[in-house]
Amino acid sequence: MHEDKLTAGAQGVPPEAAPAKAATPEAVTLDRPVFLTGFMGCGKTTLGRAVSALCGIEFVDLDEAVEQRAGLTVSEIFARHGEAAFRQLERDELQRQSRRPVLIACGGGTPCQPGMAGLMGTLGTVVWLRADTDVLVRRLLEFGATRPLVAGKDEAQLRDFVAETLARRAPFYARCGHIFDSSRLETLEQVDSSAREFIRRFLQNNPRKDL
């Protein structure tokens, strides 16, 4: 089932309020798309918007792009047409957006669908934003009350949910080839620092495969 987006940042740094500080722009020339993937609450939107603000690369939220294309929310697509229809729309939109050198935040389940991890690796650079379980649980506790998959869960239930779901998804995330620690997105200063590190590692240099 689709994961509604979760605001990352244990101290209340919402994605729309967390671009990197207005400072020296980072010079970047991107020749292929970069995909951000990872578990709910890992910070894909927060980091993606901060990187975009720093270096001027266009940021695309894949779920939002699907919604705009379909004229329906993701929840409505699931309710009216089912998961298979959503996954086809997701795949089509990912391929459409990948025609340009943009930064794309994918849903937590996107690379877990048949053939998607390989497709993403062919089209661009794929980076798994990996946060510690404790960080994910803390963020979900703070911001997850309105998210269907985690609403109503207490800390113990959330910890079990994260552990079980991540165990299923980790092999798919690991196929991304590149890993970035997204645990440090708790303050505007950490967001700025993490965004600059991400730019140095994946946008200014040829990214190496993390071992």
Side-chain angles (χ1 to χ4, degrees):
M1 179 66 71
H2 163 69
E3 294 179 356
D4 288 318
K5 289 182 290 300
L6 179 76
T7 302
Q11 296 183 16
V13 182
E16 63 273 12
K21 296 178 293 185
T24 304
E26 298 282 352
V28 169
T29 301
L30 197 63
D31 60 0
R32 64 194 307 226
V34 175
F35 301 101
L36 304 179
T37 192
F39 199 78
M40 181 195 308
C42 71
K44 297 183 291 288
T45 300
T46 296
L47 183 65
R49 287 181 175 165
V51 169
S52 175
L54 264 177
C55 64
I57 291 174
E58 182 181 351
F59 172 70
V60 175
D61 183 290
L62 186 59
D63 282 348
E64 291 178 0
V66 168
E67 290 177 338
Q68 292 173 6
R69 179 70 53 179
L72 298 168
T73 67
V74 172
S75 296
E76 288 171 338
I77 296 170
F78 267 85
R80 297 185 189 184
H81 305 292
E83 181 175 2
F86 169 75
R87 293 303 178 188
Q88 186 59 54
L89 287 169
E90 179 183 56
R91 184 184 185 94
D92 292 345
E93 191 63 23
L94 183 141
Q95 291 179 298
R96 192 180 75 84
Q97 294 291 341
S98 298
R99 297 170 187 164
R100 304 170 296 138
V102 297
L103 185 63
I104 301 175
C106 301
T110 303
C112 307
Q113 304 309 307
M116 287 296 282
L119 175 64
M120 292 162 65
T122 299
L123 293 172
T125 300
V126 190
V127 184
W128 172 15
L129 302 190
R130 186 171 63 184
D132 294 339
T133 298
D134 288 344
V135 172
L136 293 174
V137 170
R138 186 170 67 244
R139 292 174 181 171
L140 288 165
L141 278 172
E142 183 166 357
F143 297 107
T146 61
R147 313 299 171 174
L149 288 181
V150 299
K153 289 182 171 61
D154 60 25
E155 182 172 357
Q157 292 170 325
L158 274 174
R159 191 168 295 279
D160 288 343
F161 168 79
V162 171
E164 292 170 5
T165 309
L166 193 54
R168 293 196 304 269
R169 293 183 174 182
F172 296 97
Y173 293 156
R175 291 182 59 191
C176 296
H178 306 289
I179 301 171
F180 184 80
D181 182 4
S182 61
S183 296
R184 298 185 68 256
L185 296 172
E186 312 308 302
T187 66
L188 291 174
E189 290 73 18
Q190 288 185 3
V191 171
D192 180 77
S193 175
S194 293
R196 292 179 185 277
E197 180 184 354
F198 185 93
I199 290 168
R200 286 193 296 271
R201 285 185 58 189
F202 301 109
L203 305 184
Q204 291 180 329
N205 302 297
N206 291 323
R208 64 178 179 80
K209 184 170 182 178
D210 295 285
L211 301 178

